[in-house]
Amino acid sequence: MKKKLNIAIIGTKFMGKAHSNGWLQASKFFDLPYEPVLKMVCARDTVAAEEFAKNWGYSSVESDWRKAVESKDIDVIAICTPTGLHKEMAVAAAEAGKHIFCEKPCALNYAEASEMADAAEKAGVLHYLNHNYRRVPAIALAKKLISEGKLGEIHHWRGTYLQDWIMDPEFPLIWQLEKSSAGAGPHYDLGSHSVDLARYLVGEVKTVSATFKTFVTERPLPGAGAGTFSSGSAAAEGKGKVEIDDASFMTLEFENGALGSIDTSRFAGGRNNYNYFEVYGSQGSLLFDLERLNELQVYCSNDPEEVRGFKTVPTTMGVHPYVAAWWPPAHIIGYEHTFAHAAKDFVEALAGDMKIEPNLIDGKKIMQVLEAGIISNKEGRRVSVAEVK
């Protein structure tokens, strides 16, 4: 009989659902060394938590997340809360000897991320930061091709992550739009994904130059009982000041000499969730578009001239990362599968006493890049990532 791995999840919204589904699917489609068990769900709204627990199969409910951290029955703390709560929860979990499966962005700033990483490393627990896009088969294939030298020397990274869900100026000032709970706007929420992929595929970032813009500077305060994580920064007539970016543009210099750019926005009309990147090397190039998740565009400069050009590689065959566990060849997978892949890798890392990436150390480095961007925007200069301490 397999050892059971008891999971406590904190948060029941979008990410709570995605994580719960990932744990369930991982245990059904992969032959895991341990059996993940959905043990406890934590949320301040106990009625919603009870419904969530019933739907997903959790056996207990708590309104105080500290009960999960203190429980002897819990092995893993899955943090699916607003960013401003991550640090306290992760540090407490580490100090209690719990393994950590944390949503992104890692923290409100580099200092908090460092504290989280240090606590987890000191405790010797397994810690994972859920930049789930690393576990898209096409992106995992991109990493393999780059690592094998198929693109040659990498010259250029171009990343963009665009959405449009807050373009209406009457959209309320929810927690994702408040500095105290989110830290920044798309620069953190979307840019953290792009920075993670840039580090994963190209290398560490050396310098950053950034420009931010806030297009709507005041928004209506949410109604009472909206489940917000509000700083209470109210202005006249029921409005609050927007203190974060609506769009962020960065140029990067990597330590290996490559150049890069990352642009993020929640004001890109028609772009619901456009996560796209290009990698250009001396011998080839790669293009990926999340809206075409099962494909990778590949260009090889060594191909004969008459057939040279970008080719669409469908990453739905058993030879591609993770795919063999799912469906017959050419049957596509989706966004939700990346969470199952993360759960699988987490369990296998735990059983093998190995690290998993990205983890809270990666989170610290991602926050260092993003915070360098904040300094650059504020001071109007190129900033060395090493300046952020």
Side-chain angles (χ1 to χ4, degrees):
M1 182 179 293
K2 292 182 180 179
K3 174 184 175 181
K4 295 185 183 302
L5 191 68
N6 291 335
I7 315 296
I9 195 164
I10 310 175
T12 60
K13 303 300 183 183
F14 170 28
M15 280 301 133
K17 295 175 183 177
H19 282 237
S20 299
N21 183 65
W23 288 110
L24 288 175
Q25 296 305 316
S27 64
K28 296 179 185 298
F29 283 88
F30 295 92
D31 183 15
L32 301 180
Y34 298 153
E35 179 187 351
V37 177
L38 301 184
K39 188 73 172 179
M40 182 185 295
V41 58
C42 305
R44 288 176 293 185
D45 184 342
T46 53
V47 174
E50 290 283 0
E51 293 176 356
F52 187 91
K54 183 179 179 180
N55 184 61
W56 290 100
Y58 287 89
S59 57
S60 63
V61 171
E62 287 288 350
S63 60
D64 184 353
W65 61 266
R66 294 171 184 81
K67 298 286 182 65
V69 169
E70 295 165 0
S71 174
K72 294 181 180 180
D73 292 335
I74 298 301
D75 302 303
V76 178
I77 301 293
I79 301 172
C80 303
T81 63
T83 309
L85 300 174
H86 288 183
K87 191 265 288 185
E88 183 182 10
M89 293 175 176
V91 170
E95 291 176 346
K98 310 299 185 186
H99 305 294
I100 300 166
F101 195 104
C102 186
E103 251 316 303
K104 47 60 61 185
C106 184
L108 293 178
N109 51 53
Y110 174 71
E112 284 192 357
S114 295
E115 189 175 346
M116 293 165 67
D118 291 347
E121 285 290 288
K122 181 179 179 181
V125 298
L126 184 67
H127 50 99
Y128 168 70
L129 182 65
N130 190 43
H131 282 290
N132 57 303
Y133 296 128
R134 288 199 190 193
R135 287 168 168 81
V136 172
I139 294 178
L141 176 61
K143 173 65 173 179
K144 180 176 184 290
L145 296 176
I146 292 170
S147 298
E148 292 175 348
K150 298 296 176 60
L151 269 63
E153 181 182 356
I154 303 301
H155 295 316
H156 181 199
W157 159 274
R158 178 172 176 253
T160 184
Y161 205 149
L162 308 175
Q163 297 177 343
D164 65 356
W165 57 282
I166 62 167
M167 291 181 66
D168 183 351
E170 295 304 308
F171 188 91
L173 191 65
I174 60 175
W175 76 261
Q176 289 96 332
L177 306 182
E178 293 210 67
K179 188 174 182 180
S180 62
S181 52
H187 181 66
Y188 271 15
D189 184 30
L190 307 181
S192 62
H193 272 310
S194 289
V195 170
D196 178 66
L197 290 176
R199 292 182 60 250
Y200 178 55
L201 297 173
V202 179
E204 297 296 346
V205 178
K206 182 179 180 181
T207 66
V208 174
S209 181
T211 301
F212 297 177
K213 183 71 175 181
T214 302
F215 300 110
V216 176
T217 58
E218 282 191 345
R219 289 187 177 274
L221 295 174
T228 63
F229 185 78
S230 174
S231 64
S233 56
E237 299 181 358
K239 289 197 172 184
K241 182 179 179 182
V242 179
E243 298 178 331
I244 61 171
D245 54 289
D246 286 330
S248 162
F249 282 52
M250 291 197 297
T251 58
L252 315 172
E253 179 187 8
F254 292 87
E255 289 183 356
N256 59 16
L259 295 180
S261 64
I262 292 174
D263 58 280
T264 67
S265 177
R266 292 176 178 151
F267 272 70
R271 295 299 190 186
N272 299 133
N273 193 41
Y274 183 68
N275 182 6
Y276 175 88
F277 66 75
E278 302 170 355
V279 184
Y280 296 100
S282 60
Q283 297 177 27
S285 308
L286 297 172
L287 277 67
F288 173 79
D289 179 354
L290 182 64
E291 295 176 358
R292 303 182 70 89
L293 178 146
N294 291 277
E295 298 176 358
L296 186 67
Q297 299 289 319
V298 181
Y299 167 79
C300 296
S301 60
N302 293 328
D303 283 347
E305 187 174 0
E306 65 267 26
V307 295
R308 193 179 303 157
F310 280 99
K311 298 175 179 61
T312 300
V313 178
T315 56
T316 53
M317 308 300 286
V319 296
H320 294 122
Y322 304 105
V323 174
W326 295 103
W327 317 119
H331 288 70
I332 63 174
I333 63 170
Y335 171 80
E336 70 277 11
H337 292 78
T338 64
F339 291 83
H341 299 161
K344 166 207 178 276
D345 289 347
F346 187 92
V347 173
E348 290 180 345
L350 186 60
D353 194 25
M354 301 179 294
K355 292 184 181 295
I356 183 173
E357 294 178 347
N359 51 43
L360 296 180
I361 296 173
D362 293 292
K364 179 173 70 171
K365 293 179 180 179
I366 293 166
M367 292 308 303
Q368 194 174 27
V369 174
L370 294 172
E371 199 163 321
I374 291 175
I375 296 170
S376 174
N377 174 69
K378 182 179 180 180
E379 299 183 2
R381 65 180 178 88
R382 178 163 289 278
V383 175
S384 170
V385 172
E387 292 183 42
V388 180
K389 298 179 180 179

